[in-house]
Amino acid sequence: MMQKLMTLFKGLVAVLVLGFSCSAAAQGADSRELDAAELKAKVVAITDAQNKVMLKGSTQADVDTLFAMYHADFVYQHQVYGGEYSREKLYANTLRLQAMGKYNLTAPRYQIQSQIPGYNAVAVQRVEMQQGVAHHHLAVFEFRGDKVSRIIEYWK
C-alpha cells in the first residue's frame, strides 16, 4: 500500500513540476524585454502590416499576418473613434470592413516620422497624407514580450 502511495505521490509531483515549467516558459516569452532597436523594428513591421491591410486587394491572410503580431489579450484604444476594442472585436471589424471594400487605398496610409522607445513601449509619430494635407498621428505601442499588447491613439 505504501509503495502505491509513493508512486502516486511521485506522479503528482511530476505533473505539478511539468505544469509549473510550462507556465514559467509561457510567462518567460511574455516577460522578455525588447531593446530599443527591437521595439522600433516591431513598430515598423506592425505599421507595414496595417498599411497592407488597408490597401485595395488585401486579403484575410494579410489581416491574419497583422493580428499574429498582436498579443492574445491585445487592446486598441482610440477615445475619439470609438473608445476601446478587444482583439476579437477589432479582428471582426477589420474583416467586415475588408469584405465591404472599405480598404481600398492605393498607397500606404501611414509613414513613420519618429519613434521614442521606452520600457516595453514606443511613442510613435506617424503621418497620413489626405488630399495633399499631412495629418500627424501620435500613438503609443505597448509590448508584452515580442507582441504588441496595446495601441493607444492620441489624435483627432
Side-chain angles (χ1 to χ4, degrees):
M1 180 67 167
M2 186 60 129
Q3 188 71 17
K4 283 185 178 184
L5 283 175
M6 285 302 290
T7 303
L8 183 60
F9 178 74
K10 286 179 184 178
L12 179 60
V13 168
V15 167
L16 288 173
V17 167
L18 180 62
F20 287 131
S21 296
C22 291
S23 176
Q27 288 176 352
D30 274 359
S31 65
R32 178 177 158 337
E33 292 177 27
L34 302 177
D35 64 28
E38 291 172 311
L39 287 167
K40 290 169 83 171
K42 290 285 183 185
V43 169
V44 169
I46 292 163
T47 298
D48 289 346
Q50 289 173 331
N51 283 335
K52 189 166 186 180
V53 166
M54 290 182 260
L55 291 174
K56 185 176 186 159
S58 67
T59 66
Q60 182 173 344
D62 297 322
V63 175
D64 292 341
T65 296
L66 170 61
F67 278 77
M69 297 179 200
Y70 294 164
H71 197 276
D73 61 357
F74 171 81
V75 174
Y76 175 79
Q77 293 177 307
H78 197 310
Q79 292 308 314
V80 175
Y81 295 104
E84 185 171 301
Y85 298 88
S86 68
R87 184 180 195 275
E88 293 77 21
K89 178 78 171 177
L90 190 61
Y91 182 78
N93 284 350
T94 301
L95 289 177
R96 182 177 53 79
L97 291 170
Q98 187 181 55
M100 294 170 61
K102 298 291 184 180
Y103 298 137
N104 58 6
L105 297 177
T106 57
R109 177 179 183 185
Y110 295 121
Q111 292 194 9
I112 296 172
Q113 296 299 295
S114 63
Q115 296 188 59
I116 303 172
Y119 178 70
N120 292 329
V122 183
V124 182
Q125 179 187 18
R126 302 190 289 187
V127 68
E128 175 184 13
M129 295 300 291
Q130 290 180 346
Q131 300 170 342
V133 177
H135 297 271
H136 296 275
H137 298 181
L138 172 64
V140 174
F141 288 60
E142 296 178 3
F143 288 84
R144 190 168 320 122
D146 66 349
K147 296 193 183 267
V148 68
S149 59
R150 179 167 44 175
I151 297 174
I152 307 170
E153 302 275 8
Y154 295 98
W155 55 271
K156 230 174 175 184

